[in-house]
């Protein structure tokens, strides 16, 4: 049985005060039956780790360097993330792919850095509206997963979570229908069978894209949806808590 995970991607939104108040809200309303994670911007990770110490809430980063260490001004390595108590990191978010030119190869290299440091990678995949209109959503997502499927070992997959985030649903208020999302999650799971049946069965696949409290329960009750990656709604403690408990 896969345990569901609800993760909040704060993107480039936060302050010390906001980090404190969001976490207080989350910690006061923890669900017993789901994992919860938050992904604050880098400067607030240490604070979030301290404030969630001794609780089940996990703290992740939104990005990680492809390199191990050295002269890479502005980058943050996987070893640094592990050192400050970060247990997860997003890789290949559609904003990173679209705005910072991250390619599938970069995603693989970053995943390898995370694996080497014991950090779980939440790898984001998803098609644009043009690709969906051209009925290419499956081929696009298959391509985004193909290097990982070819290169990573069964053991590596124990530290990987997939987030299916259709680009047209991110921050637009337009959520994929539960049927659209379930169909893509089932497709992704069938792709993971190329690694092994066990990996296909065990890997958690989150849905992301305008998840709100009102839409979460139906999405999360689909057989291949193992929780959500929540952007905008994770910045409102009451709304995020309602999603966590949906
Ligand atoms: P959204 O963002 O919930 O605001 O659509 C999701 C994400 O980008 O992870």
């Amino acid at each position: 049985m896969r345990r569901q995970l609800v993760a909040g991607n704060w993107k480039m939104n936060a302050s010390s005060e906001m980090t404190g108040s969001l976490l207080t809200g989350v910690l006061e309303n923890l669900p017993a039956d789901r994992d919860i994670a938050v992904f604050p911007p880098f400067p607030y990770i240490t604070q979030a780790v301290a404030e969630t110490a001794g609780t089940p809430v996990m703290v992740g980063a939104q990005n990680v360097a492809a390199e191990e260490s050295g002269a890479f001004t502005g980058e943050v390595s996987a070893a640094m993330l592990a050192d400050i108590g970060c247990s997860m990191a997003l890789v290949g978010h559609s904003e990173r792919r679209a705005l910072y030119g991250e390619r599938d190869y970069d995603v693989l290299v970053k995943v390898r850095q995370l694996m080497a440091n014991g950090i779980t990678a939440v790898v984001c995949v998803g098609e644009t509206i043009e690709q969906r209109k051209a009925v290419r959503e499956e081929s696009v997502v298959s391509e985004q997963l193909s290097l990982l499927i070819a290169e990573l070992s069964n053991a590596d997959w124990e530290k990987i979570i997939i987030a299916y985030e259709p680009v047209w649903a991110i921050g637009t208020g337009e959520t994929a229908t539960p049927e659209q999302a379930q169909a893509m999650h089932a497709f992704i799971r069938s792709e993971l069978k190329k690694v092994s049946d066990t990996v296909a069965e065990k890997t958690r696949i989150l849905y992301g894209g305008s998840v709100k409290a009102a839409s979460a329960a139906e999405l999360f009750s689909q057989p291949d949806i193992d929780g959500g990656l929540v952007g905008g709604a994770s910045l409102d403690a009451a709304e995020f808590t309602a999603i966590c408990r949906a």
Side-chain angles (χ1 to χ4, degrees), residues 100-142:
Y100 303 99
E102 254 176 48
R103 301 153 304 154
D104 296 328
Y105 178 73
D106 305 307
V107 171
L108 173 67
V109 173
K110 290 181 175 198
V111 166
R112 285 204 194 286
Q113 290 291 347
L114 294 171
M115 305 280 106
N117 287 278
I119 297 175
T120 296
V122 180
V123 177
C124 306
V125 296
E127 80 286 357
T128 64
I129 191 63
E130 292 76 20
Q131 291 163 336
R132 178 160 280 262
K133 281 184 179 155
V135 202
R136 289 184 50 224
E137 62 272 20
E138 290 190 352
S139 61
V140 167
V141 168
S142 169

Side-chain angles (χ1 to χ4, degrees), residues 7-11 90 93-95 124 163 165-167 169-174 207-212 228-235 243:
N9 172 13
W10 296 0
K11 308 194 180 185
L90 302 181
H93 187 278
S94 71
E95 287 151 17
C124 306
E165 300 202 300
V167 180
I170 296 180
T172 58
E174 190 184 341
Y207 169 79
S210 297
V211 175
K212 300 278 183 298
L229 180 58
V230 184
S234 73
L235 300 172
I243 295 170

